[in-house]
Amino acid sequence: MEATLEWAKRHTIFLLIGITFLLYIPSFFGGFMWDDEDFVYSNQYVNNFQVDKFFQESATAGRGKVSNYYRPLQLMTYAIEHKFFGFNPLVFHISNVLWHIAAGITVYLVMKTIRVPWALAFGATLIFLLHPIQTEAVSYVSGRSDMMFFFFILLSFIYSQKKGKRSAILSLVFFICGLLSKESALLAFALFPALSFIKYGFSNEYNSTMRRYIPHFIIGLLYVMFRSSILEFASTARTWGDNIYITSISLRLATFFRNYFFYWQVLLFPYNLHMERDASTVKIITSFFSAWTWLFLSAQALSVGALFWLYKRSRMYGQIAIGGYVGMHAVMGFYSGLIVLNGIFYEHYLYSALPFFSLWLGSYIVIMKTPIRTIMLMVIGIWIVVFGVVYNIHRQRDWIDPIRFFTQTLMYAPNNVRAINSLGISYAERNDFNKAIETYNKGISLNSSFPNFYHNIGMAYKGQKRYRKAEE
C-alpha cells in the first residue's frame, strides 16, 4: 500500500492527465452546439483570421451580433485551429479537453506552491477535473473561455510566488492573458489573497506578498476602465429588456441567496444538470428580507464559526479551509448579481470555485478521527465513481447528440424559444421534417413573434417538397 502511494505521489501529474483524458473521450465525438455558431464556425473574423478584429470588437461581431463579450484569446485559439484543420469538431473538442487538463494541472501546481498536503491536493484536483458540472465548459466548444482564464490566472499566481524580475513579468503577462480570455479573470483580486493566506496565514509574509499584487491591481483597473469605455460594445443590462431581475441590486442579491443553496446541491449531488437556467426557469425573489436571506446569513455564521473552531484545532488546515471558503465565495459573489451579467444561474459559473470548495470541506475530513475519516473517504470514492465517472459520461452524451441535448434542456426550460428552434433545426438536419415542423409549430404557439420559426418551418416544408406550404 505504501509503495503504491509513493508511486502515485511521484506520478501525480501523469495520473491526473491520463484519468482526465480517458474520461472525456466521449466529448471528442460531439459537434458544434448552442453559441458555437456565433463564436466559432459562422464567425467571419474566425474564418478569415482577422486577429485585429478580435481585439477591437466584441466576440460575436464576426457573426453580425451585438454583445458585450470580449474574448480575443479565445477567438484566437479557434482561428488557429480553423487555419490548420478547418472546422473539424473533433479538433476543437480535443483542444477543449487539453485546456481543461492544463487548468487542472495548474490547480495541482498551485496547491503544491501553497503547501497543501499531497492527499488533499490530489483529491481536490481530481474532483475539479472529474466533476460533471465541468462538462458545460469542456464538452461545449464555446465554454473554452472558463478554462483559459482560470489556467492563466493560476499560472500568474504561481509566478508571483517566485523571486526575480523575470517571474514578476511572466506573472503580469499571464494575468493579462487571463483578462483577454474572459472578464472573470478579475477574480484574481480575491483568489490571489485567498491562496496566499493558505500559504502564509496571519503573518508578515502575507502582508509583503500582498504588495506583489499591486501591479496586477493597476492592470485590472485599467482593464475595467477600457471595458467600461472604448471596449464596451453593448449594455449587458439592455439585454434583459424589462425583466424585473434587472431593476434592483437588492432583488438580484435576494435571488442569489436562494440560488446559493442550489449551487450547493449542484456541487454535492449533480444529478439534474442542464444548460438553460434563464429568467423563466429561475425563481426571482422580490423581497430582500425573505426566508432565503436569513437562511443564507445563518449558513455564513455557522460556516465562520466552524472555521474558527478548525483554526484553533489545526492552524494549517484552518488556513486551508479559510482560504477555500473565501475563494469559493469570491467566485460565487462575482456571479451573484452585484455585477449585471447575461445570466442568473449557470453551472459553468462554478468552474473556478470547485478547487476552493474541495479545499474548504476537505480540511474538515482530514482532521476527523480515523474511523470517521475512513468512512468519509469511502463516500468520496463512491461519489467519484457515481458522479465523477458515470454521470459525467452521461452528461457528455447529452452534449454529443443535439436532439438529446435540446430535448433534455426543454424538460427544464419548456418555453425557451431558442432551445425549441434549435431542436427543430436538429431534426431537420437529420431529414426528420415531420418532427421539425411539429417542433416549430410548438414554438409558434408559444411565441408567434419569433421570426426564425417561420423561416425554418418554410425550409422544412421545402425539404418535404411541399413548396406551396413553404411559400405560405
Side-chain angles (χ1 to χ4, degrees):
M1 182 66 180
E2 289 185 7
T4 303
L5 191 61
E6 286 302 315
W7 181 89
K9 288 181 179 179
R10 289 196 305 270
H11 300 88
T12 300
I13 290 177
F14 294 105
L15 271 174
L16 293 170
I17 292 173
I19 292 170
T20 309
F21 190 85
L22 289 172
L23 178 69
Y24 282 98
I25 284 177
S27 286
F28 297 169
F29 303 100
F32 293 116
M33 187 84 72
W34 209 243
D35 286 333
D36 292 344
E37 183 178 13
D38 297 335
F39 284 87
V40 191
Y41 63 90
S42 291
N43 191 308
Q44 292 307 304
Y45 297 160
V46 171
N47 274 268
N48 300 326
F49 208 89
Q50 294 177 264
V51 177
D52 57 325
K53 298 292 187 180
F54 299 161
F55 290 87
Q56 295 170 4
E57 299 185 28
S58 74
T60 59
R63 171 67 173 141
K65 287 192 174 183
V66 177
S67 75
N68 202 28
Y69 298 117
Y70 186 65
R71 315 279 166 79
L73 292 191
Q74 179 187 10
L75 296 186
M76 183 93 70
T77 64
Y78 298 150
I80 291 170
E81 286 159 36
H82 169 253
K83 186 80 171 177
F84 289 100
F85 304 102
F87 286 121
N88 183 346
L90 174 64
V91 173
F92 286 80
H93 283 291
I94 291 175
S95 182
N96 261 32
V97 171
L98 293 178
W99 275 108
H100 183 50
I101 290 172
I105 298 307
T106 53
V107 166
Y108 178 72
L109 293 177
V110 163
M111 292 193 190
K112 285 188 67 177
T113 301
I114 60 178
R115 303 166 191 164
V116 174
W118 178 83
L120 183 53
F122 177 75
T125 305
L126 189 65
I127 290 173
F128 167 78
L129 287 166
L130 305 188
H131 200 293
I133 65 170
Q134 306 295 49
T135 57
E136 189 167 291
V138 183
S139 299
Y140 176 34
V141 174
S142 293
R144 186 178 300 179
S145 56
D146 282 298
M147 298 173 283
M148 290 182 66
F149 98 78
F150 199 41
F151 167 74
F152 283 124
I153 66 170
L154 291 181
L155 268 185
S156 176
F157 176 80
I158 290 171
Y159 278 97
S160 74
Q161 303 305 297
K162 299 177 183 287
K163 295 181 179 179
K165 186 177 180 180
R166 178 176 174 273
S167 294
I169 292 172
L170 284 173
S171 177
L172 293 174
V173 169
F174 287 130
F175 177 60
I176 292 170
C177 287
L179 292 172
L180 295 177
S181 299
K182 191 174 184 180
E183 299 81 356
S184 304
L186 291 169
L187 279 166
F189 293 156
L191 300 186
F192 283 11
L195 292 168
S196 299
F197 181 82
I198 292 174
K199 185 176 182 179
Y200 298 112
F202 298 105
S203 67
N204 291 330
E205 284 182 288
Y206 179 79
N207 296 329
S208 63
T209 299
M210 289 300 101
R211 289 193 286 273
R212 298 181 191 175
Y213 307 139
I214 292 175
H216 301 76
F217 183 74
I218 294 171
I219 290 172
L221 284 180
L222 290 172
Y223 171 82
V224 171
M225 288 171 58
F226 280 113
R227 286 291 281 118
S228 303
S229 53
I230 60 175
L231 292 177
E232 183 178 29
F233 309 106
S235 170
T236 304
R238 287 182 184 176
T239 63
W240 286 92
D242 58 356
N243 191 286
I244 190 175
Y245 181 74
I246 203 67
T247 58
S248 166
I249 189 171
S250 62
L251 181 148
R252 295 196 297 275
L253 285 176
T255 302
F256 166 72
F257 295 151
R258 176 183 182 272
N259 290 341
Y260 176 82
F261 296 97
F262 287 92
Y263 278 130
W264 270 92
Q265 179 260 301
V266 167
L267 287 166
L268 292 173
F269 305 105
Y271 59 86
N272 60 346
L273 303 183
H274 58 281
M275 177 65 179
E276 193 65 11
R277 300 172 189 263
D278 57 18
S280 68
T281 59
V282 177
K283 185 177 181 180
I284 308 298
I285 305 300
T286 56
S287 171
F288 184 78
F289 298 103
S290 71
W292 291 107
T293 299
W294 300 115
L295 190 58
F296 173 83
L297 294 175
S298 299
Q300 302 317 305
L302 288 172
S303 298
V304 171
L307 288 169
F308 181 75
W309 169 84
L310 180 61
Y311 186 80
K312 288 185 67 176
R313 183 166 179 178
S314 169
R315 179 166 293 187
M316 180 180 70
Y317 286 108
Q319 288 178 194
I320 293 172
I322 292 170
Y325 171 85
V326 172
M328 173 185 163
H329 286 82
V331 175
M332 287 187 167
F334 189 84
Y335 300 109
S336 65
L338 285 171
I339 304 170
V340 178
L341 302 174
N342 65 318
I344 302 174
F345 185 122
Y346 285 109
E347 290 152 18
H348 70 85
Y349 285 172
L350 296 173
Y351 184 88
S352 53
L354 259 173
F356 297 95
F357 170 77
S358 299
L359 287 179
W360 176 25
L361 296 191
S363 298
Y364 291 99
I365 295 172
V366 171
I367 68 160
M368 290 176 177
K369 293 181 179 179
T370 303
I372 301 175
R373 185 170 66 243
T374 302
I375 293 171
M376 291 302 299
L377 290 175
M378 289 175 63
V379 170
I380 292 171
I382 294 170
W383 187 98
I384 288 174
V385 172
V386 173
F387 291 110
V389 177
V390 176
Y391 190 69
N392 185 303
I393 293 173
H394 172 85
R395 188 64 182 136
Q396 288 182 66
R397 291 180 63 197
D398 289 339
W399 282 96
I400 291 170
D401 182 352
I403 290 178
R404 173 172 169 163
F405 174 82
F406 292 116
T407 300
Q408 190 258 2
T409 300
L410 288 167
M411 289 172 58
Y412 298 96
N415 298 327
N416 188 281
V417 293
R418 189 179 172 200
I420 294 170
N421 187 57
S422 297
L423 178 60
I425 292 172
S426 300
Y427 280 127
E429 288 174 347
R430 296 189 184 181
N431 295 323
D432 191 344
F433 297 114
N434 287 330
K435 282 284 186 69
I437 292 167
E438 179 186 334
T439 303
Y440 294 136
N441 279 324
K442 177 186 175 183
I444 291 169
S445 68
L446 289 171
N447 187 341
S448 59
S449 63
F450 191 67
N452 302 52
F453 289 140
Y454 300 99
H455 173 268
N456 291 335
I457 199 171
M459 294 302 293
Y461 282 127
K462 183 180 178 182
Q464 290 182 326
K465 298 183 179 180
R466 298 167 65 184
Y467 300 114
R468 187 161 297 182
K469 288 289 290 183
E471 290 175 2
E472 291 176 7

